[in-house]
Amino acid sequence: MIEHNLLSASKLYTNISFDELGTLLGIPPHKAEKIASRMIYEDRMRGSIDQVEAVIHFEDDTVELQQWDQQIVGLCQALNDVLDSMAKKGLSIPV
């Protein structure tokens, strides 16, 4: 649950201090840093850690999200094309 919430925070924040992250997650700041560090190391979250400033900087993944969005749009268009073709042929469209 903590890791899920940390991933959610990475989508909402550009950067956050470990004190604030710990408060957000309901855990001590040092534990928030440890979990974030492990997730970055394991490539489960994109970001970097500034230990001097005690801040995590999250990397933006909007390019990947835009590509995913375009794939969904393409799939929906293909589905609409199939349904339109079925309707033109007089085939019943299951609901």
Side-chain angles (χ1 to χ4, degrees), residues 19-77:
D19 286 335
E20 292 170 329
L21 184 59
T23 299
L24 184 68
L25 299 174
I27 58 176
H30 71 277
K31 187 171 181 182
E33 178 183 6
K34 183 177 179 180
I35 293 169
S37 176
R38 186 181 73 240
M39 291 177 70
I40 291 169
Y41 176 76
E42 294 173 350
D43 289 328
R44 294 190 292 139
M45 183 174 66
R46 294 177 48 183
S48 60
I49 293 175
D50 182 340
Q51 290 182 319
V52 174
E53 297 293 324
V55 172
I56 181 169
H57 299 276
F58 299 111
E59 292 181 14
D60 189 9
D61 61 354
T62 55
V63 172
E64 289 88 359
L65 291 176
Q66 289 172 347
Q67 290 173 342
W68 177 254
D69 188 53
Q70 288 296 31
Q71 291 173 341
I72 291 172
V73 168
L75 177 64
C76 290
Q77 185 60 49

Side-chain angles (χ1 to χ4, degrees), residues 6-19:
L6 181 52
L7 279 174
S8 296
S10 76
K11 306 298 180 204
L12 298 173
Y13 295 91
T14 304
N15 56 56
I16 190 170
S17 72
F18 290 117
D19 286 335

